[in-house]
Amino acid sequence: QVQLVESGGGLVQAGGSLRLSCAASGRTFSPYAMGWFRQAPGKEREFIGRIRWSGGITLYTESVKGRFTISRDNAKNTVYLQMNSLKPEDTAVYYCAAGVRSWYDYDYWGQGTQVTVSS
């Protein structure tokens, strides 16, 4: 079993930055990909971006391109989401997820961390 734990959320003013971390523990961790998602109150969960565990290829949704960056530290089994130029509409609970076999389907999810951007 794999456990994912997000951290780094909090309250930040518009234009500010936060870096979220997602640490994996459990059995030998070697996913195909890691993804970041978010869910704002009253809205459906939204895909933000993903990264291939091997090679580090990334993909982002249009609304965060140029502002958010996903990276990983394979040795630490940790994936990061660097968020810059934050906007109030970025306010949400942010989740990381691990895909064992693909970067379209995710098998393990973290509990989420709240990010609140004030105007």
Side-chain angles (χ1 to χ4, degrees), residues 32-112:
Y32 185 87
M34 297 290 294
W36 282 98
F37 297 78
R38 65 187 180 187
Q39 188 166 20
K43 295 188 176 181
E44 294 188 353
R45 187 174 61 199
E46 175 189 20
F47 166 78
I48 296 172
R50 52 193 173 211
I51 184 167
R52 282 274 302 271
W53 199 249
S54 175
I57 297 172
T58 55
L59 180 73
Y60 301 93
T61 193
E62 197 63 35
S63 62
V64 307
K65 279 183 181 178
R67 300 190 299 125
F68 291 11
T69 302
I70 298 173
S71 60
R72 88 267 190 252
D73 185 330
N74 296 45
K76 294 182 178 180
N77 287 345
T78 299
V79 64
Y80 303 97
L81 177 64
Q82 177 67 44
M83 304 185 293
N84 299 328
S85 302
L86 284 162
K87 305 174 182 179
E89 52 263 42
D90 294 318
T91 295
V93 178
Y94 284 68
Y95 299 90
C96 67
V100 175
R101 288 168 292 276
S102 82
W103 75 350
Y104 297 107
D105 299 314
Y106 293 89
D107 306 280
Y108 302 100
W109 292 81
Q111 84 290 349

